[in-house]
Amino acid sequence: MKTLRPVIGLVLVAGALWVIVGEQMSGVSADAVVNAPVVTVRSSTAGKLSMPKRPLGADVAKGERLATVDDSLPDRTRLDDLRMEVANAQATVDRIKSDLDAKRAQRKSYGERTKIYREHRIAEIETKLKFARARLDRLQPKAQGSETSATKVAQTAPPATTDTAPLMQAREDVALLEISLDAAKSGVFLGDGYNDAPSSEQRGADLDGAIASLEANLTEAQTRLKTLEDRRAQEQTRVTTMSSSHVTSPANGIYWETLQADGVTVQRGDPIMELVDCDVPLVTASVSEGVYNSLKVGDSATFKLASRDRIYDATVARLAGSGAAEVYQHLAIAPNKEHLERYDVTLLVPELKSDPDLDCPVGRTGRVFFERRPLDFLR
């Protein structure tokens, strides 16, 4: 036992020295603070600003209305021009529709007249043919019986003489009338000079061409009207937006700073307020030169808030070096003088956002550790 006591003592001393040296030699930040980007909310139009009172640090939800900008005199010149163009285009469509209805009514009238003409013309030819056949029956020799077809009679008829001339004329009349009747039933009318159709049918054909042309013009006019109406609707939306514009929050965060007073007149693009984007939790820290040179983007680390026991996993996102004041221009928490004299490191800590015990802890301080330490299991 006497020989074991010195050995045990040496082991304990060595272990204690290992813990002390390991804790002190591990990479650790000199200071660290929870940070976040600052978002500048700007006016999308010119007008009078109406902004309800809101305390600094108040929670703001994404899409929440923050202010209203009203312009009592928006530029409506383009909208008035488009309204006039739409009215002219609508008048053109109405005129073409009126002409088209008139042409279609005329076409229907001529179609009915053509139908009546065809029916009566066929009846006329049939009547003439009936009497022509009766004359032929009286003139034909008894030997040929009651056959009155001009085609068959012509096949057996003797050569024409002075005595048979009336008979031949009767046969010719019957044959011609039969041909005219067949043609009329097919829609072709013979014996009208150079025309094979009545004037009503010819006029109807001309109207068909005019109707087709008007239908094409109507389609073109309606397309133009639709295009102008869409452009007018877009311009109306623009004018409405310019007349009264709602300023909404672009992110979940906290109300950070007021840049304009309620009731002032702002121009398009003027900054109104600043918000802290709590959806992007960052930790900014400063380290010694030796620790800084051992790091690279993507390295793992851990972050511990002051006065809290929980350890958060972190990832190195940016190595800005010494004197990195410019990278803080769009962050909520600016670095102090001592921070800028060391080397700047930015880390992503997603678990800060998901921690139910924290509500956008921007400004909270802590420390970042870049290596595992002997007593991590106790933490």
Side-chain angles (χ1 to χ4, degrees), residues 56-215:
L56 294 178
D59 291 336
V60 175
K62 185 176 182 178
E64 180 181 347
R65 184 186 300 181
L66 303 176
T68 304
V69 180
D70 297 316
D71 184 4
S72 59
L73 297 174
D75 184 4
R76 304 174 60 91
T77 303
R78 181 55 182 158
L79 178 60
D80 293 338
D81 290 342
L82 285 171
R83 285 176 173 172
M84 182 180 64
E85 292 183 31
V86 168
N88 292 337
Q90 183 64 60
T92 300
V93 170
D94 294 341
R95 176 181 57 79
I96 295 176
K97 284 183 177 181
S98 178
D99 292 345
L100 192 57
D101 291 342
K103 296 294 184 184
R104 285 171 176 168
Q106 293 179 9
R107 180 65 182 89
K108 182 179 180 181
S109 174
Y110 280 116
E112 293 174 351
R113 291 177 59 182
T114 300
K115 180 180 179 181
I116 295 173
Y117 177 85
R118 180 179 292 110
E119 292 174 352
H120 287 76
R121 184 62 187 276
I122 290 174
E124 177 188 7
I125 296 174
E126 288 177 342
T127 300
K128 289 181 179 180
L129 180 59
K130 177 182 178 181
F131 283 97
R133 284 174 175 171
R135 289 193 298 271
L136 180 61
D137 289 341
R138 289 194 300 269
L139 294 173
Q140 284 187 129
K142 298 297 184 181
Q144 293 181 352
S146 60
E147 178 63 52
T148 59
S149 173
T151 303
K152 292 185 177 181
V153 171
Q155 293 176 353
T156 60
T161 62
T162 304
D163 297 334
T164 61
L167 178 61
M168 295 301 294
Q169 182 62 48
R171 289 173 175 171
E172 179 182 354
D173 293 342
V174 171
L176 292 176
L177 288 171
E178 287 179 343
I179 294 173
S180 297
L181 181 60
D182 291 338
K185 289 181 178 181
S186 300
V188 178
F189 301 97
L190 305 178
D192 292 337
Y194 295 101
N195 298 322
D196 62 354
S199 60
S200 59
E201 185 173 348
Q202 296 174 36
R203 180 55 181 161
D206 294 339
L207 287 172
D208 287 338
I211 290 173
S213 178
L214 285 173
E215 287 175 342

